Amino acid sequence: MLLAHPNAPVGVERLTEALWDEEPPRHARTVLQGHVSRLRAVFAQYDAAAHGVELLTQGAAYRLRVPETLVDAHRFEESLRLVRRSSDPREVVAVLREALGLWQGPAFAGTVHSAPLEAPAQALEELRLTAVEALARAYGQLGDHGAAASVLRTEAAAHPLREPLVAQLMLALARAGRQADALDRFHRTRKLLAEEIGVDPAPVLIDAYHALLRTDAHARAHPDTDADADAHAHAHADVDNGTALPPAAMAHAAAAGPATTPQLLPRRPRGFIARQDELAALDRITSAAPGSIVTLTGSAGVGKTALAVHWSHRRRADFPDGTLFADLCGFSPTPARDTRAVLREFLLALGVPVERMPGSPAALGARYRELTAGRRLLVVLDNAVDSEQIRPLLPGGDECVTLVTSRDRLDGLVATDAARPVKVGALPAADSTALLAAVLGPEPVAAEPEAAARLAGLCDGLPLALRVAAARLATRPHRGLASFAGELADEQHRLDLLRAEDTGVAAALGLSLRHLPEPARWLFHHLGPHTGATLDTCTAAALADCPPLQAARALDQLAAAQLVVETGPRSYVLHDLVRLFARSLAPDHEPAGLLRLLDHWVQTLLAACAAAEPGGEPCCALPPGARRSAEIRRFADRTAALAWYSAERGTLRAAVEAAVAAGLHDRAWRLVLLQWPLIVWQVRDGWVPLLEQGLASAELDGDPAAQSRASALLGWVLSEEGRPEEALTRLERAPDLAVRAGDFAGEAVARINLAVALMRYGDRERPGGLLADALALAEREGLTETVTLAHQHLAQHLLSVGAPAEAAEHAARGLALAAPLLAAPRRVVLRTLHGEALAALGRTGEAVRQLHEAVREARANAYEEGEVAARSALDGLPEPEWERGPEPVWSAGARGRSPLGE
């Protein structure tokens, strides 16, 4: 939505309408703020401001500041404006081919369906079709009617009722010598119009049909002229029908015997599912650029070959001179195919007899390129190991399309031969379950839809894994989907279950690994202990106990082989099945690797805490004997740290489970407690089980300080969840545990948390003493952040018991300590308390100034609840003469609560 309106404010209501086509959820604005926060974190991570890109807040709207030249839709529209002013068809062809090359799929593909998004998407699609029609006209002006027909054919298939486009295609086909095809297109379109919408063809289609009939009548009346023209077309223009050969090729063909039409494609794959985006990309690339080389790349078992063969069968009619196919065995138990053997196979299929087969590799290649020149062939090179293996097999014809599949990214082929890459990824959830239904039959999947979805998730959306799972189920009908999904959930046996005879996920991944350089194989063997999907170079270096630069190089090699997926600079994704395969290769390395990983996470969490709550005191130190990582992730600010916490929550939870399973309880409780900034920020988000595990690990570790901190944080979360009895049970224990440990900072925090809970439950006596003790402890130990916190809650307590003068004093003292280095929410709360205390003392002018400043700072830091509280206090004053300003734009996650769990 923001890119559809660059450099213009887009209101919150408009964004909400775009995100939710129906009734938005109750917390829609909070969700929207979360999206904005994550966008800003991504922009900060990639230094977007250096490129002139910035997401700004303007009242109740957002504005994406961006140079329009960076927006592909803008560049596309600029290209259309340029060609409208051009009279040179060559320039029009060049500009429009480049403009259409900007399209990577339907506009806004993958987004939600809503009117505010569909309107600009439809407008862009209409412009794209206009560009296609203009490109076809320009080809026609150049006399290249075959290219014009090729461009229009794909769009006519996608838009069969767009009559002007179909009319243009009919004329292009006729001018390319394909009169029968043109007439057939008209009759099929007329029938479709009648069946689909009950109308007759429009005048534009009727006029094109009459033009075809006139041409046909003229040809019958002047057969000699038509024959001469046909001979001229065959002799001079392969753009008309793609069959003419240059003189050298004609000579070789004559010597070789009659030309043949090879059809080497394997049978059409059964149970092929979806892949609409990839199929559309193949259609678009091959239609826009005759002679295209397209690479289908992806991980082992993702379905590259099935996609290539399916598309080839679907588009077979577009290649009247035949199809060539070769499995190059690049990633196979057998050795890779020798190029000479493949060339001989191709030449035999093209009609070269054995006795005339060239001997040397150079001569084989030359004959192959000669015989493919001037033809419209499809060449499918499956399972290539690298770019070098492919280059000698590229055909010589400008009308030939070459389709290559590989587990390697084939960057070299992209660089030297302008190959167009199409990434083949895992199947979405719905398509994964559809594949199971295609193999098993629809009934079992329909009977257990939730189990089918779980099974698809455990297979990582990998077609090979899904097919193997379906095969095991099909041969064991007594085993239901839920039962088998339960077996697959056990990571220890998942790869074994995803093996059927000689086919399986582990075998396919092993072939990928075998072809890697030694540094990449070495690193891969150390990735098994990793507990999550996301992986950066710092974490990989810790796992493998190597320098980060070495890990970065190896990760790049793994990404080139599709064993990890690169998602950004120094950032990768490691899918579960790949991680389990790595674990199976080197189980002996796991204890040491896991320990290094856990120590790395503890160090990273300490850095994240420091960035999320600047000025705060660490709640723990590194465990004794911890191995220091060579490099730790850096966090630019609080927003970046909280975004990382949120993204890695699942990984950290799994790390806690792994630490507990390994008996490393001193690491486990640290991994829990060091997540307190996110726990505080998203307090009602199901943290109790994790905190209970952290407390249990602290007890097993025999660390009373850790037990105190875990009890205090757990008690506070229970209190926020409305579970007072459980909360007070935990909170009452926390101060004594801290005293026993000699942890003065922990004791102060525990007393504050207990006091806050008691205040919530109406106790007017105990909180004052607890907070005063906490303040004295924190001041004595020089704990500035805890001192500030104690002042804040003392101010709140004193206001509630009718002591505004003392409350104002504590709020002012807290504000004096809450320098800008500290988190803004703390200052907003203190200013609001100070304003309320001043108002209670009758000092209205001073109160208004403090509350105005609280509103300003809350808005500047997207702190929703803080601004609401400050405005509410302003509303309560007797003479509200202040300027309210525009409505705020909120940010997700802000709770308006103090980080008591530090």
Side-chain angles (χ1 to χ4, degrees), residues 331-356:
F331 298 88
S332 170
T334 59
R337 292 285 303 278
D338 180 72
T339 301
R340 289 173 296 181
V342 177
L343 285 171
R344 288 192 191 98
E345 185 179 298
F346 282 178
L347 289 176
L348 284 170
L350 290 166
V352 177
V354 174
E355 62 272 14
R356 294 184 178 274

Side-chain angles (χ1 to χ4, degrees), residues 241-332:
N241 54 28
T243 58
L245 297 175
M250 285 182 175
H252 282 296
T260 60
T261 303
Q263 298 293 348
L264 300 186
L265 277 180
R267 64 175 175 81
R268 187 188 295 268
R270 295 179 181 177
F272 185 83
I273 297 298
R275 296 294 189 193
Q276 296 306 315
D277 288 346
E278 292 89 345
L279 291 170
L282 287 170
D283 288 344
R284 185 173 59 254
I285 293 169
T286 55
S287 298
S292 302
I293 302 169
V294 187
T295 63
L296 290 174
T297 64
S299 64
V302 81
K304 303 177 292 297
T305 300
L307 172 60
V309 174
H310 176 85
W311 182 85
S312 300
H313 277 282
R314 198 179 74 159
R315 296 292 300 273
R316 199 165 168 174
D318 295 331
F319 302 99
D321 297 317
T323 55
L324 299 172
F325 178 94
D327 180 358
L328 302 182
C329 300
F331 298 88
S332 170

